[in-house]
Amino acid sequence: MMDEPRPSGFPSRSARRRLGAGSLRCLLCAALLVPALARAQLVDIAWDAQGGFKRELRAEAGKFVELCGKLGSDTKVDWRFDADASTNFNIHYHEGKAVQFPSKEDGVRTSQGTLVAKSEQDYCWMWSNKTAAPVSVRVEMTKRP
């Protein structure tokens, strides 16, 4: 029996038989996660020659936007932002499966502070938009050794 036409990247009938029910469930779960991943706007922090970074971001309604970059141990980052509407804001990094939050604020339009990196990590500044309209966020950061 010949395999039927299928979308690109989707396993053929014979491949699905070899995969078994458990693997097929994993494929289905992965397919269902793709729309959730599309909810994020991820931006790499690109420091200028003076250690600065400035950007205007747009968090769509019900979505989030995130700025991420690797920082060395004891690196200091002065940061500030202002937004058109209230957002849920945090700075976070991952230690294995645990997520650490050096800063976390809900329902804020503006904030500022200094992050002192405890260890070499990828640190992320994240704004979640819980409103029904897009929100613009203006961010300025300065990295100090």
Side-chain angles (χ1 to χ4, degrees):
M1 174 187 276
M2 294 186 60
D3 282 339
E4 71 282 359
R6 62 192 184 282
S8 175
F10 192 80
S12 66
R13 179 181 291 163
S14 59
R16 289 191 307 263
R17 269 188 247 128
R18 287 191 305 272
L19 284 171
S23 295
L24 287 176
R25 278 192 293 274
C26 287
L27 284 173
L28 178 60
C29 289
L32 293 173
L33 286 174
V34 169
L37 294 176
R39 295 179 51 151
Q41 178 189 356
L42 304 173
V43 177
D44 287 330
I45 299 172
W47 302 102
D48 65 22
Q50 292 76 37
F53 177 83
K54 187 186 283 192
R55 184 84 174 247
E56 183 165 347
L57 308 163
R58 181 178 167 108
E60 297 299 329
K63 299 184 181 185
F64 63 89
V65 63
E66 199 170 19
L67 294 173
C68 297
K70 184 171 282 302
L71 297 176
S73 183
D74 297 322
T75 300
K76 295 173 184 67
V77 177
D78 298 320
W79 56 269
R80 65 175 299 282
F81 75 88
D82 67 271
D84 294 340
S86 292
T87 63
N88 291 349
F89 167 74
N90 72 68
I91 301 172
H92 67 271
Y93 63 94
H94 299 265
E95 285 184 334
K97 292 182 180 182
V99 180
Q100 304 299 323
F101 294 94
S103 183
K104 190 173 186 178
E105 301 175 75
D106 289 340
V108 295
R109 290 182 63 154
T110 186
S111 191
Q112 64 183 27
T114 300
L115 170 73
V116 179
K118 289 187 177 183
S119 60
E120 184 174 313
Q121 297 282 348
D122 287 317
Y123 289 83
C124 296
W125 282 253
M126 185 171 124
W127 296 264
S128 298
N129 178 5
K130 303 295 183 184
T131 70
V135 173
S136 290
V137 180
R138 289 156 299 281
V139 184
E140 292 183 31
M141 301 178 178
T142 304
K143 181 172 70 166
R144 300 183 279 133

